[in-house]
Amino acid sequence: VQLQASGGGLVQPGGSLRLSCAATGSIFMINNMGWYRQAPGKQRDLVATITSGGSRNYADSVKGRFTISRDNAKNTVYLQMSNLKPEDTAVYYCNADAFDSSWRRGEYWGQGTQVTVSS
């Protein structure tokens, strides 16, 4: 199972970005999917997660500004980010809890996409 993230970039404060992450490979089933972020010199932190049934969980710092969604048919998770702040600057990583076609369960990570919020 491989995760490919895209959609990062440079945006001004108050702006918006949409991140996408597609899971490919020999996938049997994907449980939770999510986004994490890591700023320079800091640990990787949870941003948002979504279950296969659509239940969402957000970090307090992004509630009301970010929305996580997923397309189960495409094995893709999205993160719509609005009203971005400089403190949102980080490398964003997608994550999936999945079973491959051999019924082996694993936790998978994308390669990370840089989000920079600056004027």
Side-chain angles (χ1 to χ4, degrees):
V1 178
Q2 298 84 40
L3 300 182
Q4 181 68 42
S6 61
L10 173 64
V11 63
Q12 292 186 342
S16 299
L17 278 177
R18 188 191 193 209
L19 306 183
S20 300
C21 177
T24 60
S26 300
I27 300 167
F28 174 71
M29 183 177 68
I30 301 177
N31 294 321
N32 292 359
M33 302 186 81
W35 290 93
Y36 291 72
R37 66 186 181 187
Q38 187 168 20
K42 296 187 177 181
Q43 66 182 20
R44 188 175 297 186
D45 291 326
L46 168 74
V47 176
T49 60
I50 185 168
T51 67
S52 57
S55 295
R56 298 167 172 85
N57 179 54
Y58 295 96
D60 288 343
S61 59
V62 306
K63 284 181 180 177
R65 300 188 298 121
F66 291 11
T67 301
I68 189 170
S69 61
R70 64 189 282 177
D71 184 331
N72 290 331
K74 296 181 179 179
N75 290 329
T76 299
V77 62
Y78 305 95
L79 186 68
Q80 178 67 46
M81 304 184 291
S82 302
N83 191 21
L84 282 159
K85 304 176 181 180
E87 52 264 42
D88 295 318
T89 296
V91 178
Y92 283 70
Y93 297 90
C94 56
N95 170 274
D97 170 20
F99 288 89
D100 66 15
S101 57
S102 298
W103 288 46
R104 291 172 300 194
R105 186 175 185 176
E107 183 179 28
Y108 301 92
W109 292 90
Q111 83 285 9
T113 184
Q114 177 71 46
V115 172
T116 302
V117 184
S118 175
S119 55

